[in-house]
Amino acid sequence: MAEDVLILGNKRFSSRLFTGTGKFASKTLIAPMLAASGSQMITVALRRVDPTADQGNILAHIPETVTLLPNTSGARTADEAVRIARIARAAGCGDFIKIEVITDMQYLMPDNHETLKACRILAKEGFVVLPYVMPDITVTQQLYDAGAAAVMPLGSPIGSNRGLEMRAMIQRIIEVSKLPVVVDAGIGRPSQAAEAMEMGADAVLVNTAIATSEDPCLAGKAFSLAVMAGRMAFLASLAGTRKGATASSPLTGFLRE
Amino acid sequence: MRINLNGSPVETTSRSLSDLVAEQGLNPLSLIVEYNYEVVKQASWGEIHIKDNDTIELLNFVGGG
Amino acid sequence: MPFTDLVKEFETFAFKDYFEAVRPGDVQKTLDRVDARTPLGRQDLLTLLSPAAKNFMEVMAQKAQQITRQYFGRTIGLYAPLYISDFCSNHCTYCGFNTSTGFKRTQLSLEEIEREASAIFAMGIRHILVLTGEAPDKTPLSYLTAAMKILKKYFPSIGLEMFPMDEDAYAALTAAGADSLTVYQEVYDRKIYGEVHPRGRKADYEYRLLTPERGARAGFRAVNIGTLFGLGDPMGEAFIAGVHAKYLEQAFPHVEVSLSLPRMTKAAGGIAPKNLLSDKGFVQCMLAWRLFMPRLGITISTRESAPFRDRLVHLGATRFSAGSRTDVGGYVVHTQDTTVQFEVTDTRSVEAVTRMIQESGYQPVFKDWEMF
C-alpha cells in the first residue's frame, strides 16, 4: 500500500487521530498520551487568565513535533472567533485554527452561519481553517468555497460519547465533500472511531473519551489502533454481510443473449 | 486610571503592561497580553504605557477540545 | 479532480483484460456490499459490467427493483420530445441530421412552436424536451429564449437537448424557464470521438465533455447524460458514463443526475457491429448503474420497442418518453415530408403507455414539479 497521509495546510499527517487537551486530570498526562497514541495534532483553548487557578503552561506539555490546533471555544459570533484566532497566531501557535462558534449552551451545537463567516475571513488571512459544524452539505460546499482546509462535522453532542448519531448526514458529506472530513465530537469508543473511518472519514478528533478514561495512554493507543483499522478497512473496500440469494428469474427471464 | 481589563472596569495605578502583570500577581511565562486588540510580545510590555479607557486582555492557553 | 483528468486516467485502462478477469466471487462481493448498504465504488461498477456479472442478472434485477422503489416509489415520469429545428452543421458520421445528408431542413417559427406545444399539451404531457440540431446561426439565443417563454405557458418543466453552449447562454435559458439539460457525450473514447466527429464545432471533445458541468453551474436543476451505444466498446462506455454521472452527483448536490441509453440498432456509417448493444447488455448497464447510484434517474426513449419498454418499468427505469415525434413539426405543423432523427419503435400513444404503466403496478407521473 502506498503511503497514506492526510495533508492539511502544508503539513502531512500520518496519524488520522487528532486529540485534545481538555478535561485531563493532570496536564502531565498529555505528553505520554500523545506518545502512546501517535497523534500528531492536538487542540488547545485560549482563556482569560484566572489568577486563582494553576497557571502552568499547557503548551509546555506538548512536544514540538505535534501540531497545535487552537480552538475558538468561547466565541459566540464570527467576530469573536476571528479575534481569538488572531490572538492565538500572534501568540506563536501557528496557522492552524479550529473554528468553534457556539451559542447553544445546552447541547453546545455549533452555529454554522457564524462559523462560515469566520472561515471566510480567516482563510483570507492565511489560516489553515478547520471549522467545527453541524453536518450540512450546503455548508460543506460553502466552506470549501470559503477556503477551509477541512470540514469537521459533529458525530453527536460534544462530550456525550454517543458516537455517530449523525451517521447518515456524515455519510452524505463524505460522498460530496471536496474537503477532508474530520469527524469531531461525540466519539466515545474506539469502535465508533473505527466506524467513522470505515465510512470514509479522513480523520477523527477525540478528546473527552481519552482524557476522562482511567488510563488516557491506553485509551489513546486504543483509539489510534481503531482509527488505523477503520482506515485500512475503508481503503480495502470490505464486502458487506451476505444475505440470501434468489434462484428464479421473473424479471430477467425474457432476455436472450 | 480606569481601564477595561478582561471585560470588566478596573482601577489601576500600573503605568505599563509589565506593571499591570505584576500588580495582578500573574506568572508572565505563559501569559498573552492583548492591548487594545493587538497582541503585544512580552519583550515590549515595559514600553506600552497604559492610558485611561484602554482595553486589555490577559489570556493564557488552557486545555480544550 | 476535474472530470477531464478522470477521463484521461481511464484512457489507458485495459477494459477488456479487466472485464475478463472478473470472477463470480468478485460479483458476489459487490452484491454483498449492496445488501450491506455500503456505497459502491468504481471497481464495483466495473465488476457489475463484466461478463461474469451476466450470470447474476436476476439477483441484480431484484436488488435494482427494490432500490428503485425505495428511492423513487413505483413511478414512471413521462415526457415528450419537441424538435424545433433540424438545421445542423455537424458531421457526425452516424446521424440522420448530419450536414451532408441532403434533406430539406426545417425550423419552426414561434407561432408553429406554440401550435406544437398546444398539441403536446392536449396529449396530457406536461414535461417537455426541446431539441435542435447544432446550427447556432439558425437558432440564436434570442430565438431559443423566446421559445422558452412560449413553452413555459404550457409546461411546468422544460428540458433542452441542443448543442453545447457556454455558461452565460445556459443561464439565459434557465432564466427564461428551462430547467433540465440533456447532453450526450456520444462516445467517451477520445479516439473514436475524433473519428466520428471529424470537423466543426463538435470536434472539440473536451468542450462537450464539460457541458453538463457548465449547465449545472448555470442553474439547471436536472442534468441527463449518456453515451450513444454502438460507437465505442459498450461496457467501457457504460463505465465512464456511470463515473461521469457519479462525478456530477457529487460535484453538484443540487442537480438531479440521469443517464440515458440511446443505442444504435443496426450497423451503419462505419459502425463496428461488435459494438452494438444487445438487450441483455442494455439491461445489464441499467442494473449496474442503478446499484452504483441509487438516486440516479434512468431515461428510456421510444427508440426502444414497446415489449422491451414494458419490461424496463420493473428494472430501474424512472422516465419514459411517450407519443413521441422525432421530426420537426411532427405533431401537427408538418405531418409529412420531414426527416426523423431516429425511428420511433414504440409508437403507442401517451394514453396507451399510461395504461401499460398502470397495469404494471406503477403510477405515471405527468407533472413532477413546477418552478415558481
Side-chain angles (χ1 to χ4, degrees):
Chain A
M1 194 174 82
E3 195 192 7
D4 178 40
V5 292
L6 174 62
I7 298 174
L8 296 172
N10 55 3
K11 292 200 176 171
R12 297 161 65 85
F13 299 88
S14 54
S15 164
R16 290 167 181 270
L17 172 65
F18 301 159
T19 50
T21 54
K23 302 186 192 173
F24 279 89
S26 158
K27 289 189 194 67
T28 58
L29 293 167
I30 295 172
M33 182 282 291
L34 285 169
S37 69
S39 174
Q40 296 165 326
M41 175 136 70
I42 193 162
T43 58
V44 291
L46 194 60
R47 283 286 180 283
R48 281 174 171 158
V49 75
D50 173 3
T52 63
D54 161 33
Q55 287 176 45
N57 184 4
I58 193 139
L59 303 186
H61 297 275
I62 302 172
E64 282 188 7
T65 50
V66 174
T67 299
L68 290 175
L69 180 61
N71 68 29
T72 66
S73 63
R76 289 171 177 240
T77 64
D79 288 345
E80 287 173 9
V82 167
R83 186 172 168 203
I84 294 169
R86 287 172 183 160
I87 293 171
R89 180 156 72 175
C93 257
D95 293 331
F96 280 67
I97 190 77
K98 169 180 167 181
I99 304 184
E100 185 178 335
V101 181
I102 287 170
T103 48
D104 162 30
M105 290 302 129
Q106 198 94 49
Y107 291 95
L108 307 178
M109 294 294 184
D111 180 330
N112 282 2
H113 182 72
E114 291 294 312
T115 301
L116 176 60
K117 275 197 336 205
C119 179
R120 288 198 177 110
I121 297 167
L122 292 172
K124 278 205 192 81
E125 293 180 10
F127 282 90
V128 178
V129 180
L130 289 86
Y132 170 62
V133 293
M134 284 292 280
D136 178 310
I137 58 162
T138 309
V139 166
T140 301
Q141 176 64 38
Q142 289 167 332
L143 287 168
Y144 172 79
D145 294 337
V151 57
M152 301 213 290
L154 62 96
S156 53
I158 297 178
S160 68
N161 290 343
R162 291 192 332 222
L164 302 179
E165 291 189 332
M166 297 285 160
R167 171 178 244 287
M169 279 76 104
I170 290 173
Q171 179 75 62
R172 183 71 181 130
I173 286 181
I174 289 170
E175 278 175 44
V176 305
S177 176
K178 296 185 192 116
L179 294 170
V181 178
V182 182
V183 178
D184 185 1
I187 293 182
R189 302 179 163 277
S191 53
Q192 295 162 349
E195 189 186 359
M197 298 304 294
E198 277 178 38
M199 281 165 64
D202 295 278
V204 297
L205 200 162
V206 181
N207 183 0
T208 303
I210 294 174
T212 62
S213 70
E214 289 296 323
D215 185 341
C217 283
L218 201 56
K221 179 139 198 189
F223 273 100
S224 160
L225 292 170
V227 165
M228 281 193 258
R231 176 67 183 172
M232 287 178 198
F234 170 72
L235 294 176
S237 304
L238 287 188
T241 45
R242 186 169 301 189
K243 297 194 183 122
T246 21
S248 59
S249 299
L251 293 176
T252 55
F254 72 99
L255 291 169
R256 307 274 172 272
E257 196 46 72
Chain B
M1 182 163 50
R2 203 175 169 77
I3 60 170
N4 189 334
L5 181 65
N6 282 4
S8 311
V10 169
E11 282 295 331
T12 181
T13 53
S14 299
R15 304 178 59 136
S16 70
L17 291 178
S18 339
D19 292 351
L20 182 71
V21 169
E23 184 188 74
Q24 296 291 320
L26 298 173
N27 175 3
L29 208 62
S30 58
L31 195 66
I32 299 157
V33 180
E34 192 200 37
Y35 174 74
N36 292 336
Y37 305 98
E38 293 278 345
V39 173
V40 180
K41 291 213 185 320
Q42 192 169 349
S44 311
W45 288 353
E47 299 156 24
I48 302 280
H49 297 288
I50 299 176
K51 306 183 302 295
D52 217 21
N53 286 326
D54 276 348
T55 298
I56 299 169
E57 293 280 343
L58 304 176
L59 310 152
N60 60 0
F61 281 106
V62 298
Chain C
M1 182 192 289
F3 188 65
T4 40
D5 292 0
L6 211 53
V7 165
K8 281 204 187 96
E9 240 181 59
F10 287 101
E11 269 171 18
T12 50
F13 186 78
F15 281 103
K16 194 165 168 288
D17 297 347
Y18 189 95
F19 283 137
E20 277 169 13
V22 174
R23 303 170 58 83
D26 302 325
V27 183
Q28 188 58 57
K29 275 187 195 137
T30 290
L31 295 175
D32 290 344
R33 266 200 283 283
V34 173
D35 286 341
R37 298 285 154 148
T38 309
L40 299 193
R42 285 181 209 150
Q43 204 181 331
D44 294 304
L45 180 58
L46 283 168
T47 299
L48 295 176
L49 291 168
S50 70
K54 284 205 183 340
N55 292 325
F56 291 81
M57 290 274 282
E58 181 60 24
V59 187
M60 287 168 67
Q62 299 284 353
K63 292 183 199 305
Q65 180 184 66
Q66 186 244 324
I67 291 173
T68 309
R69 287 180 178 174
Q70 183 190 338
Y71 283 91
F72 291 86
R74 293 174 179 240
T75 61
I76 296 285
L78 289 171
Y79 74 98
L82 168 58
Y83 285 74
I84 61 171
S85 170
D86 56 18
F87 284 92
C88 194
S89 53
N90 284 330
H91 302 79
C92 316
T93 53
Y94 49 85
C95 177
F97 281 0
N98 177 336
T99 189
S100 55
T101 336
F103 70 89
K104 185 168 158 279
R105 306 278 166 167
T106 327
Q107 176 164 347
L108 298 185
S109 68
L110 294 176
E111 182 267 332
E112 288 170 328
I113 288 175
E114 181 138 19
R115 281 171 56 205
E116 292 278 283
S118 170
I120 297 170
F121 184 87
M123 287 158 43
I125 292 290
R126 296 295 177 267
H127 285 202
I128 198 167
L129 179 66
V130 187
L131 299 95
T132 67
E134 180 153 8
D137 297 348
K138 297 283 181 188
T139 56
L141 194 55
S142 54
Y143 168 75
L144 297 176
T145 52
M148 294 304 116
K149 289 198 176 114
I150 292 165
L151 294 170
K152 201 66 211 160
K153 290 194 284 182
Y154 296 87
F155 304 103
S157 174
I158 303 173
L160 306 182
E161 185 177 345
M162 298 176 174
F163 44 92
M165 301 181 204
D166 61 30
E167 208 173 312
D168 289 346
Y170 281 145
L173 287 163
T174 55
D179 55 65
S180 68
L181 178 67
T182 293
V183 57
Y184 303 142
Q185 183 61 25
E186 317 294 16
V187 56
Y188 285 97
D189 184 311
R190 195 187 294 259
K191 187 167 157 283
I192 299 175
Y193 187 94
E195 287 162 12
V196 296
H197 305 112
R199 296 185 296 285
R201 289 167 51 99
K202 201 166 173 178
D204 189 341
Y205 176 89
E206 290 203 351
Y207 186 72
R208 191 167 186 94
L209 193 67
L210 297 177
T211 304
E213 295 178 42
R214 289 195 302 276
R217 276 193 293 272
F220 285 105
R221 61 173 284 284
V223 170
N224 185 29
I225 62 170
T227 175
L228 179 55
F229 287 104
L231 296 176
D233 162 53
M235 292 307 172
E237 288 289 312
F239 171 72
I240 304 282
V243 170
H244 196 181
K246 183 88 150 192
Y247 170 85
L248 293 169
E249 186 182 79
Q250 295 185 341
F252 304 100
H254 70 281
V255 172
E256 282 175 28
V257 180
S258 305
L259 275 165
S260 292
L261 301 91
R263 60 170 168 168
M264 291 185 283
T265 43
K266 47 178 178 264
I271 303 306
K274 71 173 164 59
N275 286 342
L276 294 180
L277 185 66
S278 66
D279 282 1
K280 191 164 185 178
F282 186 105
V283 171
Q284 187 181 4
C285 290
M286 267 182 75
L287 300 177
W289 285 342
R290 166 60 67 232
L291 300 182
F292 182 56
M293 292 175 68
R295 298 175 213 86
L296 177 75
I298 297 180
T299 308
I300 309 289
S301 82
T302 53
R303 273 177 202 255
E304 299 304 330
S305 72
F308 190 50
R309 293 220 303 168
D310 294 0
R311 301 286 191 166
L312 299 182
V313 170
H314 301 278
L315 295 171
T318 61
R319 243 159 52 100
F320 274 25
S321 52
S324 303
R325 297 293 184 154
T326 62
D327 49 347
V328 175
Y331 293 95
V332 282
V333 172
H334 309 111
T335 46
Q336 52 192 4
D337 197 28
T338 49
T339 303
V340 295
Q341 192 195 16
F342 63 85
E343 291 292 345
V344 170
T345 320
D346 181 353
T347 54
R348 288 176 293 186
S349 66
V350 173
E351 216 176 16
V353 173
T354 299
R355 207 162 40 242
M356 176 278 287
I357 291 170
Q358 285 165 338
E359 282 164 5
S360 305
Y362 281 67
Q363 183 193 352
V365 175
F366 292 92
K367 178 174 165 177
D368 186 18
W369 81 299
E370 180 160 17
M371 194 161 24
F372 289 115

